[in-house]
């Protein structure tokens, strides 16, 4: 994943309420807006707006279940985010290893 493709994904995750929604869906599984808002300090309308942002980023998807709209995580998109973070971490690890080698060689 390139940075320009990752940016909307991480922008959607850059809000504490949306992170709690993602965490809740990951822990408890699919849930309705009513259930997601039960322990939240925001209105159902606000939950819906946050879900819309997460859906546009490809992190969740909704489906009708009778009269309710049930939301669930989109695992492939989360896996892509994880892979991107792994790539960033690998670059940092390599940079730190080069810095360590440089400092150790310079101290001799």
């Amino acid at each position: 994943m390139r940075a320009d493709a990752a940016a909307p994904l991480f922008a959607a995750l850059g809000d504490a309420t949306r992170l709690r929604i993602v965490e809740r869906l990951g822990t408890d599984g699919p849930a309705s807006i009513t259930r997601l808002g039960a322990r939240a300090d925001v209105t159902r309308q606000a939950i819906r707006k946050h879900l819309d942002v997460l859906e546009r980023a490809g992190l969740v998807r909704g489906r009708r279940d009778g009269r309710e709209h049930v939301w669930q995580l989109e695992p492939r998109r989360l896996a892509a985010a994880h892979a991107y973070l792994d790539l960033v971490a690998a670059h940092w690890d390599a940079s730190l290893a080069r810095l360590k080698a440089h400092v150790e060689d310079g101290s001799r």
Side-chain angles (χ1 to χ4, degrees), residues 16-55 59-63 68-74:
T17 300
R18 289 193 288 271
L19 279 174
R20 282 190 290 275
I21 290 170
V22 168
E23 181 181 355
R24 188 133 184 229
L25 290 172
T27 302
D28 300 339
S32 66
I33 292 173
T34 303
R35 195 165 142 223
L36 288 169
R39 295 184 299 203
D41 292 333
V42 295
T43 65
R44 286 188 356 212
Q45 290 82 8
I47 295 287
R48 176 58 198 225
K49 287 181 180 183
H50 285 296
L51 286 166
D52 287 343
V53 171
L54 292 168
E55 184 176 41
L59 290 162
V60 300
R61 65 185 149 114
R63 63 176 164 73
E68 290 190 309
H69 207 97
V70 176
W71 294 86
Q72 65 186 49
L73 288 177
E74 192 59 56

